Amino acid sequence: MMKLNLITFASSLATRESIFTDHHELLDAINEKYDVRYIFPEELDKPLPAGATMVLVGSGGVEEMVKAHIDRLPTYVVLIADGLKNSLAASLEILSWMRHEGRQGRVLHGPTSFIMQGIENYAQAQDVIDKLSGKRVGVIGKPSGWLIASNVDYAAMHNRWGITMVDVPLDEVVKGYEAITADEVQDITDEFIKKAFGIREPSRDEVVKAMRLYRSVKGIVERYRLDAFTLNCFDLIPTTRTTGCVALALLNQEGIPAGCEGDEQTLLTMLAVQAATGEMTFMANPSKILDNAAHEMVFAHCTIAPAMADFYIVRDHYESLSGVAVEGIFEPMDMTVVKCGGAGMERYFISKAHLIECTTNPNMCRTQLHLRLDEPLDYFLERSIGNHHVIVRGDHVEKLVTVFQQLNAKC
């Protein structure tokens, strides 16, 4: 049974017994589903127990009390109010004050079933956040020079997400690559080619070089105990004479979120989305708007986990016309487009989308998804969070909104 902490506020006119009596319908439902620890204001000088933590507003007249204890509450405050004893009115006043103070939160109010669904959503989001805590995230090589708005503040990420950012010299990738022979990657090369729907530009020798690079990067992931990483793949091309697309594709497939170009914000988005959904993700450029009114645009990149697509074709890398890239092909389906960003990952964008088709424009990266988004495309032209965005199969909007809200990001 999932643990749930309910920080319980009620006016001085209420006894603890009356709180449980007055709100028995809601509390009975909560107690049936969760292992509940009720915490009262006088107990807030102690560290909060493990588990999701929310605020139960037991009556009106608690506004000053909540205000006095706000620094001991979660950074995102979920106020639960069943409407009895003026609990909703008090919650709305508290929420308004919090927003004025720059704090985030929301009120859970409505029929018991609605409140219970909200509690479940936020409890599951807390579980995702707990999974992120303690992760080691690698930045292999410095971010590409053109990514002028995609870095994060390492200290802020440790404080807000509980993760450790680890810098790894790009030279280590090159040394590992040079030490790996063609014979060592023969089997995985054959398997990669055999499982592909087809192979276009690259020769087998090019695929061998891409697999040597994959083995080198995988060795670094193991040596530094990385849970995710981003790679400055473009800086590797002159020294290794290959591209990192296959390395990233295969490691993403193996459950290690792997991003391109040293883009730290997009990598962390990939990590959070995978933790929340259990699905592989696709990091892509917003490449071309096809119809503003219909919210249709193409996202494209040269690497995608082969198992994420319905099938894949082995291609060369679009920008350099060298190395090996992966063209993923999908049947039409629902997807989610998401990005969390800012130096402290304080902003997010999420939209459900429908994949209309995979295009084959020769002037774009190899995997091309023509999507129709639910959200207007003005976001991309007026307030986009950097360049790269993350795409995941299925509709995960509600779950991801809840996660990023509790990570204290704003839409």
Side-chain angles (χ1 to χ4, degrees), residues 245-260:
C245 307
V246 170
L248 302 179
L250 295 182
L251 285 160
N252 269 312
Q253 184 166 280
E254 293 169 18
I256 304 294
C260 313

Side-chain angles (χ1 to χ4, degrees), residues 201-202 206 209 237 241-243 245 315-325 366:
E201 300 87 359
E206 288 294 334
K209 289 194 292 185
I237 296 174
R241 301 169 304 283
T242 189
T243 56
C245 307
R315 302 291 307 274
D316 63 359
H317 177 242
Y318 162 63
E319 284 93 345
S320 64
L321 298 179
S322 66
V324 184
R366 301 312 187 192

